[in-house]
Amino acid sequence: LIYIVFLLLIFLMLAGTLAPTNPLVATPPASGIEAEPVKPLADIVMSGDGRFAYLGAIMGRDELIARVRSDAQGERERKLTLLADRAGEAVRLIALLDDLRAAGVGEISLIMERAK
């Protein structure tokens, strides 16, 4: 019986450490829309200080757009999720959304948290 408990403990420790996390810290903006709360892993993270992460790798804006463009080759409607820090500038976010659309992204979902 102790072996089963030990194996369960090892499994839970491994499963907890293998779960992917966003490489940059970003607090999503609040939304007044009542929706089902979800905690998806974002494809793109935009931090408040202007850094970007794409699929877990931290990179600059130009490299981000180039990687998205190359990944979108051959896909009709590329879908991405974006987590933008609420401390970031809206002008920067809008420019990023425009660049992502030009790079071939068909649908962008913005991750928000429910307003309290």
Side-chain angles (χ1 to χ4, degrees):
L1 184 62
I2 190 73
Y3 293 116
I4 294 172
V5 172
F6 184 66
L7 286 175
L8 260 170
L9 178 66
I10 291 174
F11 172 75
L12 291 175
M13 287 179 7
L14 287 176
T17 58
L18 295 178
T21 59
N22 289 323
L24 296 175
V25 176
T27 304
S31 170
I33 298 173
E34 292 295 322
E36 196 65 31
V38 292
K39 285 264 188 190
L41 182 66
D43 297 315
I44 299 173
V45 179
M46 181 178 147
S47 68
D49 59 1
R51 294 181 300 155
F52 298 95
Y54 177 60
L55 299 178
I58 298 173
M59 61 188 65
R61 181 190 179 90
D62 294 335
E63 185 182 356
L64 168 71
I65 299 301
R67 291 258 322 261
V68 169
R69 184 174 283 122
S70 69
D71 289 352
Q73 297 288 333
E75 285 189 50
R76 282 191 157 193
E77 287 291 316
R78 174 94 167 129
K79 297 178 183 178
L80 294 176
T81 57
L82 171 66
L83 172 61
D85 195 334
R86 72 173 65 172
E89 298 176 11
V91 173
R92 239 194 245 158
L93 175 61
I94 292 169
L96 176 65
L97 292 173
D98 290 340
D99 289 344
L100 290 172
R101 290 266 186 216
V105 178
E107 182 180 320
I108 303 167
S109 299
L110 183 62
I111 297 174
M112 312 215 30
E113 74 179 14
R114 189 180 300 190
K116 296 176 178 145

